[in-house]
Amino acid sequence: GAGVSQSPRYKVAKRGQDVALRCDPISGHVSLFWYQQALGQGPEFLTYFQNEAQLDKSGLPSDRFFAERPEGSVSTLKIQRTQQEDSAVYLCASSLDETEQFFGPGTRLTVL
Amino acid sequence: DQQVKQNSPSLSVQEGRISILNCDYTNSMFDYFLWYKKYPAEGPTFLISISSIKDKNEDGRFTVFLNKSAKHLSLHIVPSQPGDSAVYFCAASPSFRNQFYFGTGTSLTVIP
């Protein structure tokens, strides 16, 4: 399968715990996006990478959220000291030419 | 502030009839629009797109119409099939393409 993969698919965290969510984009895709999708809502932009450079992080809701893509391929979204309002599906998408984004299946995070 | 709006949370259509899903946007800087389809527990998958230089784009049973003056786009599916039952998201992007804004989705049910 050559699609975008994300792991874990489901994560339950206790409030205050740190979590790390992984995204493996389609090989060769330069652009990588992270989105947060709350229940009943559409995906909301978090951050954007072009290769290893994080060009836009304006959507990150607080400084507890941090994303990296050190080698321009795999990306990790880290959330420190999780709060209940962080519960959502986190979607990763990659793109070759920025006209179409290919989404992964998402990681459903539940913070208790 | 929701820049892309889908005011109908759900729509039911008889198999074989036309499905029309609507989307409105507020930002006049948006010049590229996409429709995504999403099944439960999966990420959104790209369906069709349109750039602001066109007012119509067609791909098989799917046609997207863009009315720039009204800041409105619609997706027509004809004939509708039971396999089209899913949540449909419209998305919009300004020319720099590193941010995509999604609507809240319309859940389409095609009744056999």
Side-chain angles (χ1 to χ4, degrees):
Chain A
V4 178
S5 61
Q6 292 186 246
S7 61
R9 291 293 311 276
Y10 303 90
K11 176 70 180 177
V12 178
K14 291 183 179 176
R15 191 160 56 95
Q17 197 175 355
D18 296 350
V19 297
L21 313 180
R22 177 187 168 110
C23 172
D24 285 81
I26 293 172
S27 177
H29 278 195
V30 168
S31 300
L32 185 144
F33 303 79
W34 282 99
Y35 292 87
Q36 180 190 61
Q37 186 176 14
L39 193 63
Q41 301 296 313
E44 287 200 14
F45 170 83
L46 293 178
T47 187
Y48 161 70
F49 289 86
Q50 194 171 87
N51 295 307
E52 69 278 4
Q54 189 175 20
L55 299 186
D56 189 337
K57 54 181 181 180
S58 61
L60 296 176
S62 78
D63 58 8
R64 296 186 295 104
F65 287 70
F66 172 76
E68 60 183 5
R69 194 186 186 199
E71 296 176 1
S73 177
V74 171
S75 177
T76 304
L77 176 68
K78 297 179 180 176
I79 310 173
Q80 297 177 323
R81 305 182 302 282
T82 52
Q83 304 293 315
Q84 283 189 321
E85 62 262 28
D86 300 335
S87 296
V89 174
Y90 290 86
L91 293 163
C92 173
S94 71
S95 175
L96 184 61
D97 59 6
E98 298 178 351
T99 57
E100 178 185 343
Q101 297 184 9
F102 294 83
F103 281 84
T107 295
R108 180 176 294 279
L109 173 65
T110 303
V111 181
L112 303 176
Chain B
D1 181 32
Q2 195 77 20
Q3 299 191 56
V4 178
K5 298 177 185 178
Q6 294 176 258
N7 292 319
S8 299
S10 63
L11 176 68
S12 288
V13 170
Q14 206 72 32
E15 180 179 5
R17 306 294 291 267
I18 185 171
S19 296
I20 300 176
L21 295 95
N22 293 303
C23 180
D24 297 291
Y25 61 96
T26 57
N27 190 337
S28 56
M29 297 298 290
F30 290 154
D31 72 347
Y32 185 66
F33 305 88
L34 311 92
W35 284 94
Y36 282 85
K37 177 179 179 179
K38 185 181 183 305
Y39 293 116
E42 295 182 13
T45 54
F46 172 78
L47 201 53
I48 193 168
S49 65
I50 188 167
S51 120
S52 60
I53 60 172
K54 294 176 135 184
D55 54 18
K56 177 182 172 182
N57 189 25
E58 201 169 345
D59 183 2
R61 296 185 297 114
F62 302 91
T63 303
V64 56
F65 295 91
L66 175 63
N67 182 334
K68 289 184 288 295
S69 60
K71 294 193 178 67
H72 177 85
L73 65 155
S74 61
L75 175 69
H76 292 209
I77 307 173
V78 54
S80 301
Q81 299 173 354
D84 297 329
S85 298
V87 177
Y88 289 78
F89 291 97
C90 70
S93 171
S95 57
F96 44 88
R97 299 278 188 275
N98 68 329
Q99 283 208 22
F100 286 78
Y101 296 83
F102 284 78
T104 51
T106 296
S107 178
L108 173 67
T109 302
V110 180
I111 304 162

